[in-house]
Amino acid sequence: MTKKVAFYTLGCKVNQYETNAIAQKFIEKGYTKVEFNAKADIYIINTCTVTSMADKKSRQIIRQAKTHNPKAIVVATGCYAQVSKEELEKIEELDIIVRKFRKR
């Protein structure tokens, strides 16, 4: 059975570019990319922290992911994950915080 991955990107064009690069890596490994509101095995949220509203939206989206599949792995990356790891660690729906992706 094919594994499914879903993405949600907040913020700037750089975040969109990074999300596309991450998605490509998953596709190369045999994952199928699905819409964020679909049932997926992994949800990756590329967060933003430009404003307090962006912080709030990032937290909301992270919590929302498990409503689509309670058994999914939820990953946060991006600016908010870089600067507010401790705040994100308080979100029980979040499984993994990736503060920086290595470029290969």
Side-chain angles (χ1 to χ4, degrees), residues 90-102:
K90 297 175 187 175
I91 301 174
E92 73 178 60
E93 295 88 349
L94 183 58
D95 298 297
I96 300 170
I97 300 168
V98 178
R99 295 175 77 184
K100 199 162 208 168
F101 276 101
R102 292 186 316 189

Side-chain angles (χ1 to χ4, degrees), residues 17-29:
Y17 172 82
E18 289 175 347
T19 297
N20 290 338
I22 297 165
Q24 188 59 41
K25 294 288 185 189
F26 274 90
I27 291 165
E28 289 170 8
K29 296 291 182 184

Side-chain angles (χ1 to χ4, degrees), residues 4 35 46 55 57-59 65 74 82 84 94 98 103:
K4 297 176 184 173
E35 294 297 319
N46 197 346
D55 292 352
K57 180 79 172 177
S58 293
R59 292 189 302 269
V74 178
Q82 292 267 5
S84 297
L94 183 58
V98 178
K103 294 184 178 168

